[in-house]
Amino acid sequence: MEARITLITLGVRNLPRAIRFYRDGLGFETEAADDAEVAFFRTNGTRLALFPVDQLAKDIGPDVPVPSPGFSGITLAHNVRFKHQVEEVLAVAERAGAKIVKPAQDTFWGGFAGYFTDPDGYVWEVAWGPMFSYSDAGEMVL
């Protein structure tokens, strides 16, 4: 198996609201209209999909419960090129309807980061680190 993650699908409770949050609020590119059955967003590298959570659980299997909103043990990360962009991105997310759960601050690992949750409770970290660099396409170089 090649080490590759091509798509991350978030099960959402209100698909039109989630589409508007990511498309209109955060500026993620998509062809999806508010009434789409599924939405795919272009990002640098991995793609993001939104799908109704009850349908996603049903697709996985008959005994898969629909999860409750909140922290699930997984975070999504948006790393930025410059330290000042952490606070800028958090402000954009908050204006779009996100809840800031940890304001931007220095981290134990030498970076600067904060966290927000989207309307479905998915946790996003916005981070800058002096050890991170990016390709011309915007992909993180490790």
Side-chain angles (χ1 to χ4, degrees):
M1 179 175 170
E2 294 180 50
R4 175 180 39 233
I5 298 173
T6 54
L7 183 67
I8 294 172
T9 303
L10 302 180
V12 298
R13 287 176 163 52
N14 182 323
L15 185 56
R17 176 190 69 187
I19 290 170
R20 288 189 301 272
F21 175 79
Y22 285 97
R23 182 192 63 210
D24 304 335
L26 298 186
F28 285 23
E29 293 183 17
T30 183
E31 302 301 322
D34 288 358
D35 62 351
E37 294 180 14
V38 63
F40 296 96
F41 295 85
R42 288 179 290 285
T43 66
N44 292 329
T46 303
R47 301 299 188 237
L48 177 69
L50 304 175
F51 193 62
V53 68
D54 56 335
Q55 293 179 39
L56 184 57
K58 183 179 176 183
D59 186 51
I60 295 167
D63 298 323
V64 174
V66 173
S68 59
F71 182 59
S72 63
I74 295 174
T75 62
L76 302 164
H78 177 82
N79 291 73
V80 294
R81 296 174 190 266
F82 303 101
K83 185 176 181 178
H84 68 88
Q85 292 176 315
V86 172
E87 290 174 317
E88 293 171 359
V89 170
L90 288 171
V92 167
E94 188 171 38
R95 284 193 301 274
K99 178 182 176 187
I100 305 302
V101 294
K102 185 177 184 179
Q105 56 195 263
D106 292 326
T107 67
F108 70 91
W109 47 267
F112 190 68
Y115 289 86
F116 70 85
T117 57
D118 77 359
D120 284 277
Y122 290 103
V123 180
W124 283 81
E125 178 186 30
V126 181
W128 167 85
M131 69 292 287
F132 301 144
S133 63
Y134 301 89
S135 71
D136 290 341
E139 296 174 329
M140 183 182 280
V141 178
L142 297 175

